[in-house]
PDB file of all heavy atoms in Angstrom:
ATOM      1  N   TYR V 238      -0.671   0.032 -15.153  1.00 94.00           N
ATOM      2  CA  TYR V 238       0.479   0.913 -14.971  1.00 94.00           C
ATOM      3  C   TYR V 238       0.355   1.810 -13.739  1.00 94.00           C
ATOM      4  O   TYR V 238       1.293   2.514 -13.390  1.00 94.00           O
ATOM      5  CB  TYR V 238       0.672   1.770 -16.227  1.00 94.00           C
ATOM      6  CG  TYR V 238       0.900   0.931 -17.468  1.00 94.00           C
ATOM      7  CD1 TYR V 238      -0.157   0.628 -18.318  1.00 94.00           C
ATOM      8  CD2 TYR V 238       2.160   0.422 -17.755  1.00 94.00           C
ATOM      9  CE1 TYR V 238       0.030  -0.156 -19.448  1.00 94.00           C
ATOM     10  CE2 TYR V 238       2.369  -0.362 -18.876  1.00 94.00           C
ATOM     11  CZ  TYR V 238       1.297  -0.649 -19.721  1.00 94.00           C
ATOM     12  OH  TYR V 238       1.493  -1.438 -20.831  1.00 94.00           O
ATOM     13  N   GLY V 239      -0.800   1.790 -13.113  1.00 94.00           N
ATOM     14  CA  GLY V 239      -1.048   2.652 -11.966  1.00 94.00           C
ATOM     15  C   GLY V 239      -1.968   3.805 -12.354  1.00 94.00           C
ATOM     16  O   GLY V 239      -1.779   4.422 -13.402  1.00 94.00           O
ATOM     17  N   GLY V 240      -2.959   4.055 -11.525  1.00 95.00           N
ATOM     18  CA  GLY V 240      -3.927   5.105 -11.805  1.00 95.00           C
ATOM     19  C   GLY V 240      -5.199   4.602 -12.453  1.00 95.00           C
ATOM     20  O   GLY V 240      -6.188   5.342 -12.556  1.00 95.00           O
ATOM     21  N   GLU V 241      -5.204   3.337 -12.898  1.00 97.00           N
ATOM     22  CA  GLU V 241      -6.425   2.783 -13.511  1.00 97.00           C
ATOM     23  C   GLU V 241      -7.463   2.427 -12.442  1.00 97.00           C
ATOM     24  O   GLU V 241      -7.132   2.190 -11.279  1.00 97.00           O
ATOM     25  CB  GLU V 241      -6.121   1.511 -14.312  1.00 97.00           C
ATOM     26  CG  GLU V 241      -5.208   1.711 -15.500  1.00 97.00           C
ATOM     27  CD  GLU V 241      -3.778   1.345 -15.195  1.00 97.00           C
ATOM     28  OE1 GLU V 241      -3.392   1.352 -13.994  1.00 97.00           O
ATOM     29  OE2 GLU V 241      -3.051   1.044 -16.148  1.00 97.00           O
ATOM     30  N   TYR V 242      -8.718   2.362 -12.893  1.00 98.00           N
ATOM     31  CA  TYR V 242      -9.799   1.807 -12.084  1.00 98.00           C
ATOM     32  C   TYR V 242     -10.292   0.534 -12.767  1.00 98.00           C
ATOM     33  O   TYR V 242     -10.480   0.511 -13.986  1.00 98.00           O
ATOM     34  CB  TYR V 242     -10.973   2.786 -11.968  1.00 98.00           C
ATOM     35  CG  TYR V 242     -10.706   3.993 -11.105  1.00 98.00           C
ATOM     36  CD1 TYR V 242     -10.243   5.178 -11.669  1.00 98.00           C
ATOM     37  CD2 TYR V 242     -10.911   3.946  -9.734  1.00 98.00           C
ATOM     38  CE1 TYR V 242      -9.991   6.288 -10.886  1.00 98.00           C
ATOM     39  CE2 TYR V 242     -10.667   5.057  -8.933  1.00 98.00           C
ATOM     40  CZ  TYR V 242     -10.212   6.228  -9.523  1.00 98.00           C
ATOM     41  OH  TYR V 242      -9.960   7.333  -8.741  1.00 98.00           O
ATOM     42  N   VAL V 243     -10.490  -0.503 -11.979  1.00 98.00           N
ATOM     43  CA  VAL V 243     -11.110  -1.731 -12.473  1.00 98.00           C
ATOM     44  C   VAL V 243     -12.513  -1.784 -11.873  1.00 98.00           C
ATOM     45  O   VAL V 243     -12.682  -1.652 -10.657  1.00 98.00           O
ATOM     46  CB  VAL V 243     -10.300  -2.972 -12.056  1.00 98.00           C
ATOM     47  CG1 VAL V 243     -10.999  -4.245 -12.512  1.00 98.00           C
ATOM     48  CG2 VAL V 243      -8.887  -2.901 -12.635  1.00 98.00           C
ATOM     49  N   ALA V 244     -13.518  -1.929 -12.724  1.00 98.00           N
ATOM     50  CA  ALA V 244     -14.908  -1.904 -12.269  1.00 98.00           C
ATOM     51  C   ALA V 244     -15.614  -3.211 -12.587  1.00 98.00           C
ATOM     52  O   ALA V 244     -15.506  -3.727 -13.699  1.00 98.00           O
ATOM     53  CB  ALA V 244     -15.655  -0.738 -12.923  1.00 98.00           C
ATOM     54  N   LEU V 245     -16.304  -3.749 -11.589  1.00 98.00           N
ATOM     55  CA  LEU V 245     -17.200  -4.893 -11.770  1.00 98.00           C
ATOM     56  C   LEU V 245     -18.617  -4.346 -11.667  1.00 98.00           C
ATOM     57  O   LEU V 245     -18.982  -3.732 -10.646  1.00 98.00           O
ATOM     58  CB  LEU V 245     -16.971  -5.958 -10.702  1.00 98.00           C
ATOM     59  CG  LEU V 245     -15.688  -6.790 -10.781  1.00 98.00           C
ATOM     60  CD1 LEU V 245     -14.484  -5.974 -10.333  1.00 98.00           C
ATOM     61  CD2 LEU V 245     -15.803  -8.044  -9.919  1.00 98.00           C
ATOM     62  N   LEU V 246     -19.410  -4.559 -12.698  1.00 97.00           N
ATOM     63  CA  LEU V 246     -20.732  -3.950 -12.792  1.00 97.00           C
ATOM     64  C   LEU V 246     -21.789  -5.025 -12.986  1.00 97.00           C
ATOM     65  O   LEU V 246     -21.682  -5.856 -13.886  1.00 97.00           O
ATOM     66  CB  LEU V 246     -20.778  -2.974 -13.967  1.00 97.00           C
ATOM     67  CG  LEU V 246     -19.691  -1.895 -13.987  1.00 97.00           C
ATOM     68  CD1 LEU V 246     -19.446  -1.399 -15.398  1.00 97.00           C
ATOM     69  CD2 LEU V 246     -20.075  -0.743 -13.072  1.00 97.00           C
ATOM     70  N   SER V 247     -22.819  -5.006 -12.161  1.00 96.00           N
ATOM     71  CA  SER V 247     -23.918  -5.958 -12.335  1.00 96.00           C
ATOM     72  C   SER V 247     -24.762  -5.554 -13.539  1.00 96.00           C
ATOM     73  O   SER V 247     -24.668  -4.420 -14.040  1.00 96.00           O
ATOM     74  CB  SER V 247     -24.792  -5.991 -11.079  1.00 96.00           C
ATOM     75  OG  SER V 247     -25.540  -4.781 -10.965  1.00 96.00           O
ATOM     76  N   GLY V 248     -25.604  -6.480 -14.002  1.00 91.00           N
ATOM     77  CA  GLY V 248     -26.490  -6.164 -15.119  1.00 91.00           C
ATOM     78  C   GLY V 248     -27.388  -4.985 -14.806  1.00 91.00           C
ATOM     79  O   GLY V 248     -27.636  -4.129 -15.655  1.00 91.00           O
ATOM     80  N   GLY V 249     -27.855  -4.917 -13.557  1.00 93.00           N
ATOM     81  CA  GLY V 249     -28.715  -3.809 -13.145  1.00 93.00           C
ATOM     82  C   GLY V 249     -28.004  -2.479 -13.167  1.00 93.00           C
ATOM     83  O   GLY V 249     -28.598  -1.446 -13.513  1.00 93.00           O
ATOM     84  N   MET V 250     -26.720  -2.460 -12.823  1.00 96.00           N
ATOM     85  CA  MET V 250     -25.953  -1.216 -12.872  1.00 96.00           C
ATOM     86  C   MET V 250     -25.757  -0.767 -14.312  1.00 96.00           C
ATOM     87  O   MET V 250     -25.870   0.422 -14.630  1.00 96.00           O
ATOM     88  CB  MET V 250     -24.603  -1.396 -12.179  1.00 96.00           C
ATOM     89  CG  MET V 250     -23.731  -0.157 -12.155  1.00 96.00           C
ATOM     90  SD  MET V 250     -24.484   1.254 -11.265  1.00 96.00           S
ATOM     91  CE  MET V 250     -24.392   0.685  -9.560  1.00 96.00           C
ATOM     92  N   CYS V 251     -25.454  -1.724 -15.200  1.00 90.00           N
ATOM     93  CA  CYS V 251     -25.256  -1.376 -16.613  1.00 90.00           C
ATOM     94  C   CYS V 251     -26.541  -0.861 -17.253  1.00 90.00           C
ATOM     95  O   CYS V 251     -26.499  -0.025 -18.161  1.00 90.00           O
ATOM     96  CB  CYS V 251     -24.756  -2.602 -17.383  1.00 90.00           C
ATOM     97  SG  CYS V 251     -23.083  -3.110 -16.935  1.00 90.00           S
TER      98      CYS V 251
END
Side-chain angles (χ1 to χ4, degrees):
Y238 301 97
E241 296 98 337
Y242 289 93
V243 177
L245 288 75
L246 306 155
S247 71
M250 181 61 71
C251 292

